[in-house]
Amino acid sequence: IASQAAQKRGWHLYLVGGAVRDLLLAKEAAGDLMIKDIDLVVDGFHKTADVGAGVELAKELQQLYPAARLEIHGAFQTAALLWHNDPELDSLWVDIATARTEFYPYPAANPEVEASSIRQDLYRRDFTINAMALRLTPPRAGELLDFFGGLLDLQAKQIRVLHPNSFIEDPTRIYRGVRFAVRFGFEIEPQTEEFIRYAINSGVYDRTAQENSRTPALQTRLKAELKHILEAPYWKSALQLLDNLGALQCIHPTLKLDEEILRQLRLLERCLRRFDSQQTLIHWQMRLEALVIHLAPEYRGKVAQNLQLQEDSIARLKKFAQSFNQVMELLPSCQHPSQVVQLLRQYDLPMLILIALHSSRFLRQQIWYYLTVLANIQPILNGNDLKILGYKPGPQYRQILDDILAASLDKVIKNKVEAEEFLAK
Ligand code: CTP
């Protein structure tokens, strides 16, 4: 239907990017395919398509499919149709863009390139495997446009960049390349690896890590890529590959994976399984926090801010050193369970997990005991019991209930009768 709408206006319509790659990969592997994200490009071919062509097409489609939500992004005149929890389509995201020729300033290599804006549109993309298009409009509907050898690279399992400056212009492509390599079990092609190393050695990370105020969009994309990687099942191999390439420097110049951080990340996974079976914590963010805490204290807050992490995450990273030192100083001298509770209840679960990752085995076990046992113990009496016992409701209830809780934690009282006697004293 989209193709008919384009054809009627004399435009060409193409399926581009990840969907083409995934279609071809599924064909190679004769596997199943579930595409949730479709990128379409409208091209006027020899006559220039109106810059608003994508938007016009999306509007027409939305009238035919009123269940879809239409979003228009003004700056590049792109539109998206979103189906969310649709009974037939489940969730689907269709982006419709107009072939752009001047998004990246590459001089067209030859007249043929000049003539075909779809070719230029594909040329400004990241990797050959992501730079193929499938023509959806006649004549030759169904034809694969593969100007840069994407199909061969798919077959040879290679991640190959399209031009040497790609990573300098967009350092987040380093992360994308690693993500695709690990996800598909591909290799980063040697020359592409050289371009990555060149970009990193030429200080491209300074732009990402330090000039936040001038490059907020870059930081947003870096965060999105980190999220993508850290929530994927292959996150560990991806981090390892990023580290091998020196690309963790994009987060901070001093960030490196060493044995200690790898041990902490393994421990973190065990903690998340044990203490967050309900998945109330944001696991990718916890992994990122564990990485950032590995930096010297003075860098943590700045890196968290640059990456535009959530407020609570930024606050945790800024406060970590102080909280950690406090627990290290006071926890060893806690004689009674009530003192442990008094100390540790001022921290939230993510902070306690992060502190535990850095603690000695002995103190870590104390924190685990607090989280699994002590934190779940309730006072033997509640507010209602106090009312029945004749205590006037008021702010003193908090103190009384706290005293009862401390006494039950320390096994001074074991039941309601003993609790009442304890109060009478
Ligand atoms: N793209 C690019 N450079 C980027 C981001 C995206 O060239 N920094 C292009 C690629 O052609 C990519 C397409 O935009 O295929 C769509 O991007 P995106 O949806 O982020 O990625 P996909 O390739 O669809 O991969 P995924 O399956 O992970 O969504």
Side-chain angles (χ1 to χ4, degrees):
I1 288 173
S3 139
Q4 279 165 10
Q7 201 189 336
K8 166 171 103 188
R9 292 168 170 82
W11 297 333
H12 287 276
L13 186 69
Y14 301 93
L15 179 66
V16 296
V20 178
R21 176 199 67 217
D22 292 346
L23 269 172
L24 293 168
L25 273 176
K27 192 166 162 247
E28 292 276 310
D32 290 338
L33 178 67
M34 175 77 97
I35 292 182
K36 299 257 161 223
D37 193 350
I38 291 182
D39 288 305
L40 298 175
V41 168
V42 196
D43 182 13
F45 207 46
H46 290 293
K47 69 177 172 9
T48 318
D50 175 1
V51 282
V55 175
E56 190 178 321
L57 216 55
K59 282 184 178 160
E60 179 167 335
L61 289 178
Q62 207 256 339
Q63 284 182 346
L64 295 169
Y65 297 98
R69 204 177 79 223
L70 174 67
E71 274 183 14
I72 296 176
H73 305 283
F76 295 119
Q77 284 290 316
T78 59
L81 286 168
L82 319 174
W83 281 263
H84 194 60
N85 293 331
D86 185 273
E88 277 175 38
L89 292 166
D90 192 12
S91 294
L92 180 67
W93 183 301
V94 181
D95 266 306
I96 310 182
T98 311
R100 295 197 292 264
T101 53
E102 65 261 289
F103 185 57
Y104 284 125
Y106 300 118
N110 59 47
E112 193 197 338
V113 175
E114 296 262 26
S116 164
S117 45
I118 183 65
R119 181 173 171 155
Q120 279 200 53
D121 186 286
L122 295 172
Y123 186 61
R124 70 180 173 79
R125 289 168 187 268
D126 49 5
F127 304 106
T128 58
I129 59 165
N130 289 341
M132 292 179 277
L134 203 64
R135 200 197 304 275
L136 301 178
T137 37
R140 304 194 305 284
E143 183 186 35
L144 180 71
L145 277 74
D146 179 15
F147 301 107
F148 315 108
L151 186 56
L152 278 179
D153 283 338
L154 261 190
Q155 287 159 343
K157 299 180 180 287
Q158 298 282 306
I159 304 292
R160 185 191 309 271
V161 83
L162 286 168
H163 33 77
N165 278 339
S166 194
F167 299 116
I168 305 254
E169 276 148 10
D170 182 356
T172 56
R173 285 181 167 169
I174 301 172
Y175 280 61
R176 287 176 62 83
V178 164
R179 176 155 68 78
F180 293 125
V182 177
R183 175 166 145 205
F184 300 130
F186 283 18
E187 295 281 324
I188 297 185
E189 175 271 328
Q191 172 112 71
T192 300
E193 182 173 332
E194 262 176 47
F195 294 145
I196 291 180
R197 291 189 187 279
Y198 176 78
I200 292 168
N201 291 336
S202 70
V204 78
Y205 58 84
D206 290 342
R207 256 171 60 208
T208 33
Q210 281 153 26
E211 294 182 23
N212 176 45
S213 52
R214 269 183 280 160
T215 53
L218 198 54
Q219 287 288 330
T220 313
R221 294 208 309 278
L222 180 62
K223 177 186 166 188
E225 274 307 323
L226 275 168
K227 173 173 186 287
H228 222 113
I229 286 174
L230 290 174
E231 68 189 5
Y234 49 77
W235 66 269
K236 266 187 229 146
S237 325
L239 271 189
Q240 198 76 65
L241 183 51
L242 283 170
D243 187 48
N244 293 345
L245 292 166
L248 291 180
Q249 295 181 44
C250 293
I251 301 175
H252 192 271
T254 62
L255 186 60
K256 268 229 65 39
L257 293 188
D258 56 22
E259 272 312 309
E260 178 55 15
I261 178 77
L262 291 172
R263 186 192 65 79
Q264 286 171 12
L265 287 169
R266 281 195 297 273
L267 199 54
L268 172 63
E269 292 314 293
R270 293 222 299 275
C271 294
L272 293 176
R273 278 198 298 277
R274 186 162 164 194
F275 300 113
D276 192 36
S277 51
Q278 307 294 322
Q279 303 257 342
T280 51
L281 302 181
I282 307 171
H283 291 196
W284 74 268
Q285 195 176 279
M286 288 294 295
R287 292 174 191 131
L288 185 53
E289 286 182 29
L291 281 176
V292 175
I293 283 180
H294 207 54
L295 298 172
E298 63 271 27
Y299 301 138
R300 295 173 190 156
K302 181 92 170 72
V303 167
Q305 260 162 343
N306 280 356
L307 285 172
Q308 297 155 29
L309 299 188
Q310 283 184 190
E311 285 303 318
D312 64 319
S313 186
I314 297 176
R316 199 158 35 243
L317 289 165
K318 282 185 175 166
K319 271 204 320 234
F320 176 79
Q322 189 197 352
S323 310
F324 178 75
N325 291 338
Q326 194 172 28
V327 171
M328 289 307 105
E329 188 191 327
L330 300 177
L331 190 55
S333 53
C334 287
Q335 306 273 328
H336 305 290
S338 61
Q339 293 170 319
V340 174
V341 172
Q342 183 93 17
L343 172 65
L344 297 185
R345 74 173 167 199
Q346 52 187 310
Y347 308 108
D348 61 11
L349 175 61
M351 181 65 104
L352 284 175
I353 291 180
L354 293 172
I355 291 174
L357 297 184
H358 289 255
S359 310
S360 66
R361 196 183 171 85
F362 175 69
L363 291 185
R364 191 160 60 241
Q365 277 167 353
Q366 301 245 64
I367 298 176
W368 292 167
Y369 186 64
Y370 165 75
L371 285 172
T372 46
V373 179
L374 298 180
N376 301 319
I377 293 177
Q378 297 296 323
I380 290 173
L381 300 182
N382 59 29
N384 217 18
D385 296 322
L386 293 186
K387 213 159 62 206
I388 294 167
L389 287 171
Y391 288 87
K392 269 215 166 88
Q396 74 279 10
Y397 265 38
R398 183 74 272 139
Q399 185 57 52
I400 299 173
L401 291 173
D402 260 3
D403 290 346
I404 293 174
L405 176 63
S408 40
L409 282 165
D410 298 341
K411 306 249 182 331
V412 174
I413 54 173
K414 294 183 199 68
N415 51 43
K416 277 196 174 187
V417 177
E418 288 181 12
E420 286 171 24
E421 284 168 9
F422 172 80
L423 279 181
K425 278 196 241 153

